[in-house]
Amino acid sequence: MGRLLFGIDVEHGSVTERLAAQGVEFGSVDQEIDAVAADSVDASHLEVSAGAPLLRQRRVARDRSGTAFEFADDRYRPDVVTFFVHDERPRVTPEAGTSASAG
């Protein structure tokens, strides 16, 4: 799957969106967002003082068969980035045992 990223500017935009546009079918994405203090490497890259608060996002994406294909551990300045998470799953109707779109 890494070959799909050749020629893509992975420093700008969403790698996930670019992979989906090339036919990668995502099955699940696990994300963990927490607060951490900037170490010296983070401080240098993000132009903050060591110890400054950062948002950390750790992510594992899997295809429909459950094979993990993306692992990420990213840091963000909280004055620059806001996370918005929307999670929607199909509802199962008890009488029919089928999925209905969530309202």
Side-chain angles (χ1 to χ4, degrees):
M1 194 166 304
R3 283 181 236 149
L4 297 175
L5 298 175
F6 288 137
I8 291 176
D9 181 3
V10 296
E11 295 295 321
H12 300 92
S14 169
V15 171
T16 303
E17 288 176 6
R18 291 189 174 122
L19 287 173
Q22 295 186 53
V24 175
E25 293 189 17
F26 290 80
S28 66
V29 179
D30 295 320
Q31 298 186 75
E32 182 177 339
I33 301 169
D34 60 0
V36 296
D39 63 17
S40 60
V41 174
D42 294 334
S44 173
H45 286 290
L46 297 174
E47 299 177 352
V48 297
S49 300
L54 298 175
L55 296 170
R56 175 176 61 180
Q57 177 190 35
R58 292 182 284 187
R59 180 177 58 260
V60 178
R62 292 179 175 78
D63 64 18
R64 293 193 186 272
S65 70
T67 302
F69 65 86
E70 178 192 25
F71 300 90
D73 187 336
D74 302 317
R75 308 288 192 285
Y76 301 94
R77 289 175 36 170
D79 62 327
V80 176
V81 172
T82 299
F83 286 100
F84 172 80
V85 179
H86 173 78
D87 184 13
E88 184 172 328
R89 296 183 179 103
R91 280 183 288 187
V92 176
T93 57
E95 54 280 346
T98 60
S99 294
S101 66

